[in-house]
Amino acid sequence: MRTSSLLLLASLSLAGCQCGADTPPADTGVVDAPPDDPPRLSPPRVLRSEGDAAVASVAIGPEAASLVAAGWDKAVVLFDVASETGRVVHRIGDGDVFQEGAAAWRGARFVIGTFSATLVFAEDGSLIREIADTGYDVGLSEDGAIVYRLGRDELVAHSVADGSTTARAAVQGAGSMVVGADAVWVARTTDAGEYEVVTLDGATLAERSRVPAFGAQIDGDERGLAMFNLSRAEVGADPSDLSPLVTEGITDLDGFALEGGLVVASGFSEGVFLFDARTGARLDAAESANASGIDLRARTAAIGRQEGVLMFAIE
């Protein structure tokens, strides 16, 4: 999941709160596990569909009841997670391909990006809108009314209702983006070969700021942002205020998802990793190969791979 203003958890902004003795603490969703009993990745389930094509992207629905995966034989497959059954809700043409990691689920809608189109679906899998242009990376606004797509050196916002363009911004050398509550972040490579993250207004796509970066990849959603390269990663609520994760020994990072003080990361061939977002500590790891696409919701992580989708409960 790349989509991707991100607010890594209300908890990050509340960490320094000194509440009164008579005031119950806010429920921030942050995991405060004791050091001797940290969260762990459960043994995975595998969701499978017909066909033998690798999964390109995944996104988990509200409460982790549903999951969408794109890639199998050019099919978009919608799964019921509890029963582990899936059904094809859409197929793309033979000349088209799904973009790796280009999937996002927000509220009652999800979006999938392909080389030639950006596809918006209702939660039941019915196609709402097809934007006939590239979705290298994709995301939805908080209310699901606007779909964002990262194209060739530009970021474009469209109305889901009629497909019209509502805003456009030139972003040369763009590599990935994340969509949040009121802003969109785009990682890019400058003409000088340096990296930076540009913050754009979610409604107008007017530039707000830009900060130097150590890689041209970001991932996450409205719950948090990860900036990373193959062996280094930092997470937080804003690209100007990120904290490092303990990634020593990892050399092929390719995707991140954040929720409730937890971070799940995938490596292309080195496995799946669970981190504490606030301390950066590595809590657990699991084997996985040829990973592509990642999401985390309701303490359930999904990782796309060659033969299906790995589903890890975080316990």
Side-chain angles (χ1 to χ4, degrees):
M1 160 208 61
R2 289 175 186 160
T3 52
S4 310
S5 132
L6 296 176
L7 307 169
L8 171 70
L9 318 171
S11 60
L12 290 179
S13 63
L14 294 174
C17 175
Q18 300 297 320
C19 301
D22 296 330
T23 303
D27 180 8
T28 64
V30 171
V31 175
D32 277 324
D36 60 346
D37 188 24
R40 297 294 184 189
L41 297 167
S42 69
R45 295 184 292 160
V46 182
L47 305 186
R48 306 178 191 274
S49 181
E50 296 180 1
D52 58 2
V55 177
S57 59
V58 299
I60 304 175
E63 306 303 321
S66 301
L67 175 139
V68 64
W72 286 297
D73 292 343
K74 300 188 179 296
V76 177
V77 180
L78 183 62
F79 284 93
D80 175 81
V81 173
S83 66
E84 302 183 8
T85 57
R87 59 187 176 88
V88 174
V89 296
H90 185 78
R91 290 191 186 275
I92 59 176
D94 290 341
D96 202 1
V97 293
F98 292 110
Q99 296 297 308
E100 182 177 337
W105 196 316
R106 202 157 185 185
R109 293 175 175 175
F110 61 86
V111 57
I112 303 289
T114 82
F115 180 77
S116 61
T118 301
L119 308 169
V120 183
F121 298 83
E123 59 186 342
D124 65 359
S126 57
L127 182 64
I128 299 173
R129 178 65 53 194
E130 179 173 353
I131 309 295
D133 215 329
T134 299
Y136 290 133
D137 209 348
V138 293
L140 289 163
S141 62
E142 189 170 23
D143 61 3
I146 301 296
V147 58
Y148 301 89
R149 63 172 184 86
L150 196 61
R152 298 177 182 85
D153 296 324
E154 66 174 0
L155 173 64
V156 186
H158 298 270
S159 165
V160 174
D162 60 14
S164 62
T165 299
T166 62
R168 185 188 301 267
V171 188
Q172 299 292 321
S176 55
M177 74 168 182
V178 174
V179 178
D182 65 354
V184 182
W185 292 331
V186 179
R188 65 178 294 263
T189 305
T190 69
D191 291 340
E194 299 176 341
Y195 303 122
E196 64 182 12
V197 175
V198 183
T199 301
L200 305 168
D201 182 84
T204 66
L205 297 187
E207 183 176 327
R208 292 181 181 174
S209 64
R210 56 181 64 197
V211 297
F214 56 82
Q217 292 296 323
I218 55 176
D219 210 345
D221 57 22
E222 73 279 4
R223 299 163 296 171
L225 169 74
M227 179 191 299
F228 65 99
N229 57 28
L230 290 175
S231 60
R232 176 183 173 188
E234 297 183 358
V235 299
D238 186 278
S240 64
D241 185 21
L242 301 176
S243 300
L245 300 178
V246 178
T247 57
E248 282 81 359
I250 304 174
T251 61
D252 68 347
L253 293 168
D254 70 351
F256 283 80
L258 304 90
E259 182 191 55
L262 297 174
V263 181
V264 173
S266 62
F268 180 73
S269 61
E270 291 182 354
V272 179
F273 307 95
L274 179 65
F275 298 91
D276 184 312
R278 293 183 299 180
T279 68
R282 193 184 311 177
L283 303 175
D284 202 5
E287 293 184 357
S288 176
N290 301 319
S292 180
I294 184 170
D295 201 4
L296 171 64
R297 193 174 299 274
R299 296 177 69 87
T300 301
I303 312 292
R305 54 185 287 176
Q306 179 69 39
E307 71 274 21
V309 180
L310 292 182
M311 301 288 292
F312 294 90
I314 299 176
E315 303 172 336

